Amino acid sequence: AQSVTQPDIHITVSEGASLELRCNYSYGATPYLFWYVQSPGQGLQLLLKYFSGDTLVQGIKGFEAEFKRSQSSFNLRKPSVHWSDAAEYFCAVGAPYKYIFGTGTRLKVLA
Amino acid sequence: DTGVSQDPRHKITKRGQNVTFRCDPISEHNRLYWYRQTLGQGPEFLTYFQNEAQLEKSRLLSDRFSAERPKGSFSTLEIQRTEQGDSAMYLCASSSGTSGGEKETQYFGPGTRLLVL
């Protein structure tokens, strides 16, 4: 079955600390992978995407993600978190004409 | 590029009433998607249009739900005889439709939050 798992429901980090959000997928074909961010009451903003090629992809706001086929993972990282990064983060895999999303990870940033 | 817009942003209704939401996609995008997001969950696919044709519907889309995209531009999502379980955020997205679907970037609107009392 096609699915995306985000094992961490909540993560709290201090401002300036590094961040890694985990994402594991199950998909039978070549995965096309996305990370979105959602601020409270808002829609989803694309952070980055992976289609092919270099397995380390750079996105907006200083985020990057690494695709590891052997681990079926696409983890999101940021070296130094800012207070404005507090939001909910969703990983998704592209299926024909739809996305399959994980349940999200809510990030809290401590000053 | 004005992005995807949705109207209204918030809707409160009583159980049994009908509601209609509108989505205006990015102007050159020919694919349009509706998703539903309940509290604590990721968005779940409801339906998809290519131009004016509705090509796929999720089994989540019961017969009380209907979506249209009459001229291949804006879309409406109507819920008839609303139930408390319909309370959710309804998200619209659009894409340019230049590839096979899996690798398209979907751009999301701000959503319509529905509360059914």
Side-chain angles (χ1 to χ4, degrees):
Chain A
Q2 303 165 353
S3 65
V4 173
T5 301
Q6 294 181 247
D8 304 304
I9 298 174
H10 298 279
I11 282 187
T12 300
V13 300
S14 297
E15 191 171 19
S18 63
L19 173 70
E20 182 169 27
L21 303 183
R22 296 184 290 164
C23 172
N24 293 96
Y25 67 89
S26 173
Y27 192 69
T30 301
Y32 301 105
L33 297 159
F34 306 82
W35 274 100
Y36 284 82
V37 60
Q38 185 178 36
S39 297
Q42 301 299 313
L44 282 75
Q45 180 183 22
L46 179 70
L47 285 176
L48 48 77
K49 58 191 177 185
Y50 171 77
F51 289 166
S52 64
D54 193 348
T55 56
L56 185 64
V57 293
Q58 302 297 320
I60 63 171
K61 304 185 179 186
F63 285 92
E64 66 178 25
E66 186 172 13
F67 172 61
K68 293 185 177 179
R69 184 182 298 274
S70 62
Q71 298 178 19
S72 298
S73 70
F74 187 56
N75 294 349
L76 182 72
R77 301 194 295 247
K78 186 170 184 178
S80 178
V81 170
H82 188 263
W83 64 266
S84 61
D85 294 324
E88 190 150 22
Y89 293 79
F90 291 95
C91 179
V93 64
Y97 309 108
K98 65 173 74 70
Y99 286 172
I100 298 168
F101 284 89
T103 52
T105 297
R106 183 169 296 279
L107 174 65
K108 182 177 180 179
V109 181
L110 300 177
Chain B
D1 182 355
T2 57
V4 178
S5 61
Q6 293 186 244
D7 184 69
R9 295 289 307 277
H10 303 274
K11 179 71 176 178
I12 300 174
T13 192
K14 293 181 179 179
R15 189 179 55 186
Q17 297 295 304
N18 299 345
V19 295
T20 300
F21 310 142
R22 177 180 170 125
C23 171
D24 287 88
I26 294 171
S27 58
E28 65 269 23
H29 285 181
N30 65 352
R31 290 179 179 164
L32 187 147
Y33 314 79
W34 286 98
Y35 291 82
R36 182 174 70 185
Q37 184 180 20
T38 53
L39 208 59
Q41 299 297 315
E44 296 175 290
F45 171 78
L46 291 179
T47 190
Y48 144 71
F49 290 85
Q50 178 148 336
N51 299 312
E52 66 276 8
Q54 187 175 19
L55 297 184
E56 188 169 345
K57 293 193 292 186
S58 162
R59 62 180 180 274
L60 292 175
L61 212 66
S62 76
D63 56 6
R64 296 184 298 105
F65 288 70
S66 62
E68 294 183 340
R69 195 183 183 197
K71 298 181 180 178
S73 56
F74 73 91
S75 174
T76 57
L77 177 68
E78 181 182 15
I79 309 174
Q80 296 182 327
R81 304 180 304 281
T82 53
E83 302 173 355
Q84 289 181 325
D86 298 330
S87 295
M89 172 83 92
Y90 290 85
L91 292 163
C92 176
S94 68
S95 69
S96 60
T98 56
S99 69
E102 297 96 328
K103 61 189 295 186
E104 288 191 2
T105 300
Q106 295 183 20
Y107 296 90
F108 284 80
T112 294
R113 184 169 295 282
L114 173 66
L115 177 61
V116 181
L117 301 176

